[in-house]
Amino acid sequence: MTITVDSLAETHAALQHAPIGAAILDRTGVISWANPALGSIVGETDATALRLSLITVWFETEEGDALLQMIESHFDALPETRVPWSRAINFSRRDGAEQPCEITLVPCTAAFDQWAILYVKSLAQLTLAEKRFTQIFENLPLGLLVIDGRQRIVQVNSALADEFGYAREELVGRSLEMLLPERYRASHAGHVEGYTRAPESRAMGSGRDLTGRHRSGREIPVEIALTRLETVAQPLFMAIITDISKRKRAQMALEQTNTQLEEFTYVASHDLRSPLRGIGDLVSWIREDIGDEHLSDGVKHNFDRISLRITRAEQMIDDLLTYARVGVRDPHMETIDPAKVIEEAVSLANVPNGFTVDIDVSGSRFSAPLTPLATSLRNLIGNAVKHHGGESGMIRITMHDEGRFAVFTVNDDGRGVTPGNEERIFKLFHRASPGTSGDGLGLAFTRRMINAHGGMITVQSPGALGGASFEIHWPRILLKEFEDD
C-alpha cells in the first residue's frame, strides 16, 4: 500500500510508537528518521543515532548490496507504479549477533515521492519457536509426522522413520498411504476428509485396533493421535504414531499367564483333591480296622502325621485357588480413612499383648477398594508378629501421601529378612522364617493383590526399628488404564 500523509511530521508521529521497526529512506538508502522499535532491533538505544546512516550497514555485504539495488529500482519506477515489496533478511546487530527480520518497503504519496518507508519486523521469536519445535519434534521418542491437505508427508522424525523401516528422505513428499495396509487405503481418504472439515486434537481409531505397514510389508500395531498445526500458508496436520508391538506382546503374555494359572489351579483342585481325600479315607479306615488299642504310640503318631500332611496339602490347594483369584481387581470403591483401616487391621491380626503397636497417620482420605488394602495390611502385621522371633516387640505402622500414592509402612524390631532373600520371600511357597507355621503363600498373595490394584510392595531389612520394613504404595488416584477396566 502507499502511505498518504500531509507531512513527514505526521508520519513520524504515527510511527513513533509502532510495535515494529520503521525508517524513512531516500533513494540512496540513507535513513532520515527511525523509530525506537528499529533502534531496539539493531541494538541502538537511541534511535536518533540512526539518522543520516546507510541502511545497508546493518547487513552483510551481499545482502546490503542487493537491498540497495532494490531501493534504487523502487525509486527509478514512476511514483504511480511503485508497489510495496517484502523479503526476509538478517540484520547484524551492534553487538555482532544476527537477527532474522522481514522488511517491507512502502512508497509514500507523490508529494513525498523522494522518500519511502521501510518496515522491519523481527522474526527472532518466530525463529526461536521454530527451532524449539524442531528440537522437540526430532528428539521425542515417539513417531511424529506432518502431512498437508493432500495427505503428502511434509516432515517426519527419526523415531517414525525407524518404526517403519525407512530413511526420512524416503518419506518426505510421498503419500501417507505408503504407511497404511492396503485394506485401509480406500476408506482412509474419507476419514481424513472428515477430520479436515472439523479438525480437533483426538485419538484416531478409538475402539478398534490400528496397524501400520512396515517397509518389509509386515503390519505393526500402532496408536495414533491427530492434531492440526496452525500455519499461514496451508493447513497442516500432525500425527503422533506409537508402535505398541511390545505392549501388545506383554499384554497377551500376561493374559495368557493369568489364564494358564487359573486353568492350572482349577485342574489341580479337581485332580489332586480327590486322591488326597481317598488317601485320607484309607488311612482312617486302616486305623479303625486295627483299633487304637492295638497301636503303639509311635504308630499313632505316624497316623496323626499322615492326617496332618493331607490336611496341609488340601490347604495348599485352596491357597492356590485363592492366589489365582486375588489377581483380579476389586471394582468396589470406598472412601478410605487410613487411621481406621490400620486400627481394624491391627485388631483382626490378633497382635499379642506383649507387642506394642505405634500408629502414625499424616495422609488424607482417598477412594480405593477397602478389602484388598485391609487384607494386605493385616497380612503384614500378622507376619511382623509370626516372624519376629520373640515373645514381645515393637510394631510401627505409618501412612503418608506421596504423589498419587498412599504409602503404608509396617516396621518391626524383629530378626528381619535374611540378606539376599528380599525378593525371594514374595515367591510362592517360600517361608520368610524357617520353623514357622504356614505354607509360604502369604506374601505372594499380598504382592499379587497389591499389584492387581495398581500398587506395589517392597521390603527393606534392616528397617527403621532394626527388623523388617514393608512399604505399600497404594494408588490414591487411579490411572486411566485401571479406570477403564
Side-chain angles (χ1 to χ4, degrees), residues 197-250:
R197 285 197 300 267
E200 59 178 351
S201 298
R202 63 176 176 85
M204 181 179 175
S206 179
R208 58 190 175 92
D209 291 335
L210 295 177
T211 58
R213 186 179 185 276
H214 191 270
R215 183 174 187 169
S216 63
R218 63 181 174 85
E219 294 187 16
I220 53 178
V222 295
E223 284 182 343
I224 302 176
L226 299 174
T227 189
R228 176 174 177 147
L229 295 179
E230 297 298 331
T231 59
V232 177
Q234 62 174 332
L236 295 177
F237 305 92
M238 184 170 71
I240 303 172
I241 304 177
T242 307
D243 181 352
I244 58 173
S245 301
K246 292 182 180 179
R247 193 174 77 190
K248 283 284 188 181
R249 286 195 295 269

Side-chain angles (χ1 to χ4, degrees), residues 234-308:
Q234 62 174 332
L236 295 177
F237 305 92
M238 184 170 71
I240 303 172
I241 304 177
T242 307
D243 181 352
I244 58 173
S245 301
K246 292 182 180 179
R247 193 174 77 190
K248 283 284 188 181
R249 286 195 295 269
Q251 181 179 348
M252 291 176 63
L254 179 60
E255 291 175 355
Q256 185 177 14
T257 299
N258 286 334
T259 300
Q260 290 174 346
L261 177 61
E262 291 181 11
E263 291 176 352
F264 167 76
T265 52
Y266 285 110
V267 169
S269 173
H270 179 271
D271 292 352
L272 295 179
R273 198 183 300 274
S274 294
L276 279 173
R277 287 175 179 171
I279 294 171
D281 291 340
L282 286 173
V283 171
S284 298
W285 296 338
I286 293 172
R287 186 167 184 173
E288 289 175 1
D289 289 343
I290 297 176
D292 279 357
E293 65 275 10
H294 300 296
L295 298 177
S296 64
D297 291 341
V299 173
K300 289 180 182 179
H301 177 68
N302 288 334
F303 271 118
D304 291 338
R305 289 178 65 189
I306 293 172
S307 298
L308 178 63

Side-chain angles (χ1 to χ4, degrees), residues 75-391:
F75 282 102
D76 286 342
L78 295 174
E80 59 271 18
T81 63
R82 296 173 186 171
V83 293
W85 54 261
S86 300
R87 65 170 292 180
I89 198 167
N90 286 327
F91 265 77
S92 297
R93 291 173 51 85
R94 184 174 293 279
D95 57 10
E98 287 192 352
Q99 182 164 196
C101 294
E102 181 183 61
I103 59 173
T104 302
L105 191 68
V106 178
C108 293
T109 55
F112 304 99
D113 58 12
Q114 69 271 37
W115 289 289
I117 299 178
L118 184 72
Y119 291 107
V120 182
K121 180 181 179 181
S122 174
L123 301 179
Q125 291 186 345
L126 178 62
T127 302
L128 179 60
E130 290 177 346
K131 287 182 179 179
R132 287 176 176 172
F133 172 79
T134 300
Q135 289 176 345
I136 294 172
F137 186 90
E138 180 54 37
N139 294 322
L140 269 179
L142 303 173
L144 301 176
L145 64 79
V146 177
I147 60 172
D148 61 17
R150 297 170 60 184
Q151 301 180 49
R152 292 177 305 186
I153 300 173
V154 176
Q155 186 177 3
V156 296
N157 68 350
S158 298
L160 183 128
D162 292 342
E163 283 179 12
F164 286 86
Y166 290 94
R168 282 191 293 181
E169 54 269 19
E170 293 179 288
L171 296 173
V172 175
R174 303 284 299 278
S175 172
L176 180 62
E177 284 191 348
M178 67 185 296
L179 301 180
L180 301 175
E182 291 187 8
R183 66 180 183 278
Y184 291 154
R185 294 177 183 178
S187 60
H188 176 72
H191 292 321
V192 173
E193 183 179 348
Y195 177 77
T196 55
R197 285 197 300 267
E200 59 178 351
S201 298
R202 63 176 176 85
M204 181 179 175
S206 179
R208 58 190 175 92
D209 291 335
L210 295 177
T211 58
R213 186 179 185 276
H214 191 270
R215 183 174 187 169
S216 63
R218 63 181 174 85
E219 294 187 16
I220 53 178
V222 295
E223 284 182 343
I224 302 176
L226 299 174
T227 189
R228 176 174 177 147
L229 295 179
E230 297 298 331
T231 59
V232 177
Q234 62 174 332
L236 295 177
F237 305 92
M238 184 170 71
I240 303 172
I241 304 177
T242 307
D243 181 352
I244 58 173
S245 301
K246 292 182 180 179
R247 193 174 77 190
K248 283 284 188 181
R249 286 195 295 269
Q251 181 179 348
M252 291 176 63
L254 179 60
E255 291 175 355
Q256 185 177 14
T257 299
N258 286 334
T259 300
Q260 290 174 346
L261 177 61
E262 291 181 11
E263 291 176 352
F264 167 76
T265 52
Y266 285 110
V267 169
S269 173
H270 179 271
D271 292 352
L272 295 179
R273 198 183 300 274
S274 294
L276 279 173
R277 287 175 179 171
I279 294 171
D281 291 340
L282 286 173
V283 171
S284 298
W285 296 338
I286 293 172
R287 186 167 184 173
E288 289 175 1
D289 289 343
I290 297 176
D292 279 357
E293 65 275 10
H294 300 296
L295 298 177
S296 64
D297 291 341
V299 173
K300 289 180 182 179
H301 177 68
N302 288 334
F303 271 118
D304 291 338
R305 289 178 65 189
I306 293 172
S307 298
L308 178 63
R309 291 184 180 183
I310 291 172
T311 301
R312 185 173 294 172
E314 289 178 335
Q315 182 61 49
M316 289 179 67
I317 293 173
D318 291 336
D319 288 343
L320 280 174
L321 287 170
T322 304
Y323 182 77
R325 295 189 186 106
V326 297
V328 179
R329 187 175 71 85
D330 184 353
H332 183 60
M333 306 292 285
E334 299 182 42
T335 300
I336 304 294
D337 182 336
K340 185 176 179 181
V341 74
I342 292 174
E343 290 170 359
E344 290 180 353
V346 171
S347 174
L348 294 174
N350 295 320
V351 178
N353 293 331
F355 283 80
T356 301
V357 179
D358 179 32
I359 299 175
D360 180 12
V361 174
S362 60
S364 57
R365 296 187 177 198
F366 60 97
S367 181
L370 174 61
T371 301
L373 174 58
T375 303
S376 299
L377 289 171
R378 187 170 67 250
N379 289 348
L380 293 182
I381 297 168
N383 275 353
V385 173
K386 183 165 62 174
H387 301 290
H388 183 275
E391 297 297 326

Side-chain angles (χ1 to χ4, degrees), residues 436-457:
T436 56
S437 60
D439 48 25
L441 290 175
L443 286 177
F445 286 167
T446 302
R447 168 174 277 189
R448 183 168 171 82
M449 192 159 39
I450 293 171
N451 290 349
H453 292 81
M456 59 183 175
I457 179 172

